[in-house]
Amino acid sequence: MDGIHDMGGMHGFGPVEVEPDEPVFHEPWEGRVFGLSLVAGAGGLTRGSGRPRIEAMPPAEYLAASHYERWAHSLETGLIETGTLTRAEIDARAAGGGTTPTRSEATSPDVVALVSTFLNGPQPTSGTAAAGRFAPGDRVTVRRMAPARHHRCPRYLRGVTGTVTSVPGAWPHPGEKEPEPIYTVRFANADLWGADAEPGSLHIDLWERYLE
Amino acid sequence: MSDDHGHHPAEPSAVERRVTAIESLLVEKGLITSDVVDAVIETFEHDLGPLNGAKVVARAWVDDDYRARLLADGTAAIGELGFGGAEGEHLTVLENTGTVHNLVVCTLCSCYPWPVLGLPPRWYKDAAYRARAVREPRKVLAEFGTTLPDGVEVAVWDSSAEVRYMVLPLRPEGTAGLDEDELVPLVTRDHMIGTVR
């Protein structure tokens, strides 16, 4: 969907604000929501990527939310979507006001080992061989479109022509099962932002369906 | 984890209460165990971070064969050092040169190479960086104190699909006498995102 999350090129957000010596998580609940999101996803308690659920937030709420508040939204709506929890039971429990989650007496050493490998264990390079319509050196134009479903094609590229520089491989497009070629495409800044653009180039990986 | 950062509000926020409620319900229903959530947090607080990427960079600076393998297949070469995993299934390393400076952003969300850099800093996920890095990268670099010499072109990488990117910075001048271990501390997270040259 072409939502508020698609921020490339927008004006008005001010300078980049850097926090020195930033911790990994600023509050304990940020770590919990991050961990819960990964565990719930891996265990099938939520379905698919959390990105579509974040993108479905009302735009004003999205802008007002911190990164991990967006993750909390995604986790909650994902668990409700699958029937794992109901909003009513979360509301009721949250009204109690506790900030210390129940600890399980049970442990899952096998799952802990899987988590460790999943996050911190080298794997073969992902992506399958791509035999697609385009090859390095080809000029391609990003389609003009307005897809309502989840996608990964920023608005600032629509209708702009660039050059394929490499073909990293094929992966399923979000929501699909069959691999589809992805192309790395280089765009000249002037073609994206006009005559006043800074010199230089923009590089991005695009699924074949976005290109013509 | 601790509350030593001093930012913890006296009254728990709504989101903190909801996340706590969700975890308690999942645990009480027997759907998850607490130790697995702990393991994810501990992995990111202790094991995954820019030190991994710095080791990759230092190796590439001292070993030309490794550097060639790293640029040809980042995932495999990074795996040689024992690093890899989620959000690093297909890693591509972008080499800064005398004429090209690379800068990585994710305009749509927060895509980032976890195995080599850990979790992204807040500014990487904030609207200002996501909006501006693609349109006015030199102005953004200037805010990080990075001014590029004449003749150096900025190549911005909007990591939006399956590949995750990290930058291989130039080896600093005057470091010819340093060995690999001595080079590691010279490499920062921002070098590998590209906001610092």
Side-chain angles (χ1 to χ4, degrees), chain A residues 4-11 13-19 22-36 38-40 45 51 55 62-63 67-72 75-76 79 84-85 87 89-91 93-104 106-109 111-112 115-127 151-154 156 168 171-172 182 184 189 193 198-207, chain B residues 1-3 5 7-9 12-29 31-41 43-45 47-48 52 73 75-76 78-80 82-92 105-111 114-115 119-132 134-140 143-144 153-165 189-190:
Chain A
I4 188 63
H5 67 284
D6 182 357
M7 294 180 152
M10 290 174 75
H11 288 86
F13 291 115
V16 178
E17 289 180 16
V18 176
E19 177 185 340
E22 183 179 340
V24 176
F25 300 110
H26 290 74
E27 302 279 347
W29 71 265
E30 292 189 347
R32 298 318 286 179
V33 77
F34 179 81
L36 285 166
L38 263 58
V39 173
L45 303 177
R51 291 187 192 116
E55 293 166 12
Y62 177 99
L63 286 175
H67 181 72
Y68 288 112
E69 284 171 341
R70 293 172 193 155
W71 278 57
L75 175 66
E76 178 171 330
L79 291 166
T84 305
L85 299 178
R87 190 169 311 275
E89 66 187 325
I90 299 170
D91 285 347
R93 193 56 178 265
T99 57
T100 306
T102 304
R103 291 290 303 180
S104 59
T107 58
S108 320
V111 184
V112 168
V115 164
S116 173
T117 307
F118 170 71
L119 292 176
N120 199 11
Q123 309 282 340
T125 309
S126 75
H151 67 79
R152 302 293 292 170
C153 182
Y156 72 87
W171 287 263
I182 286 181
T184 306
N189 285 357
W193 313 110
E198 291 185 4
S201 57
L202 182 286
H203 306 248
I204 186 166
D205 298 324
L206 297 168
W207 266 280
Chain B
M1 302 216 71
S2 74
D3 294 345
H5 308 303
H7 302 308
H8 204 269
S13 63
V15 66
E16 183 176 9
R17 284 188 279 116
R18 293 192 83 75
V19 170
T20 305
I22 288 169
E23 180 165 4
S24 295
L25 290 166
L26 294 177
V27 164
E28 289 160 22
K29 288 171 190 276
L31 296 170
I32 63 166
T33 58
S34 311
D35 58 328
V36 182
V37 181
D38 297 345
V40 174
I41 295 168
T43 299
F44 281 96
E45 289 194 325
D47 301 330
L48 300 182
N52 289 0
D73 182 344
T75 322
I78 288 164
E80 288 177 35
F83 308 134
E87 293 298 309
E89 293 93 344
H90 192 114
L91 293 164
T92 292
V105 61
C106 172
T107 60
L108 296 176
C109 52
S110 56
C111 295
W114 292 357
L119 291 176
R122 200 141 63 175
W123 59 260
Y124 184 87
K125 304 173 283 192
D126 279 350
Y129 185 72
R130 287 162 55 190
R132 295 176 54 214
V134 288
R135 180 171 48 78
E136 47 183 17
R138 284 176 182 268
K139 289 198 179 74
V140 170
E143 287 172 23
F144 282 84
E153 177 181 312
V154 180
V156 177
W157 296 76
D158 187 354
S159 50
S160 60
E162 299 291 336
V163 179
R164 297 292 173 266
Y165 293 95
R189 176 195 71 200
D190 290 1

Side-chain angles (χ1 to χ4, degrees), chain B residues 96-115:
Chain B
N96 282 352
T97 68
T99 54
V100 175
H101 180 84
N102 295 287
L103 177 69
V104 180
V105 61
C106 172
T107 60
L108 296 176
C109 52
S110 56
C111 295
Y112 198 69
W114 292 357

